[in-house]
Amino acid sequence: MTARSELAHSLLAVLGRIPGLRPATPATTHVGSRVPWNLDTMAVGIDEELIEIRVVALALPLPPILREAEAALRAALKETGWKDARLRLVVCDIDAAALTSVVHASDAGA
């Protein structure tokens, strides 16, 4: 395993502990289940100056969730060769359940 793939797995583990986000990966099919690697790593891009993680929002509001994720991910990078890299979280999609919960919350308040 390379240093980059180890870092990707480490960052995904951190992301997995953040409620309200998941890695943005291609839709899986029966073919995807036979791929010999973790498809979630496709959501992580790592180069020398930038680490980009593409996510799907599972809950709203986004700002506090993204702040929590950024702090946890930045802490995970602290002891690595990428400690000075920029960190970019890209919200690629919002899960329908997150939007449904917002609609129900606004209906209850009406």
Side-chain angles (χ1 to χ4, degrees), residues 60-83:
L60 297 171
L62 275 173
I65 297 169
L66 293 173
R67 281 192 297 272
E68 179 183 356
E70 180 183 12
L73 292 163
R74 183 58 61 199
L77 291 170
K78 199 171 199 167
E79 300 299 322
T80 73
W82 289 272
K83 66 181 179 285

Side-chain angles (χ1 to χ4, degrees), residues 1-76:
M1 193 177 282
T2 68
R4 286 177 196 236
S5 61
E6 286 179 18
L7 179 62
H9 287 283
S10 173
L11 294 174
L12 288 169
V14 170
L15 185 63
R17 294 189 295 269
I18 306 296
L21 296 176
R22 72 167 173 79
T25 55
T28 58
T29 64
H30 67 283
V31 174
S33 65
R34 291 188 234 157
V35 174
W37 64 83
N38 181 348
L39 285 176
D40 288 350
T41 59
M42 295 179 73
V44 181
I46 300 171
D47 69 24
E48 301 307 317
E49 298 175 8
L50 174 68
I51 295 172
E52 180 176 282
I53 304 174
R54 293 164 295 283
V55 298
V56 174
L58 304 174
L60 297 171
L62 275 173
I65 297 169
L66 293 173
R67 281 192 297 272
E68 179 183 356
E70 180 183 12
L73 292 163
R74 183 58 61 199

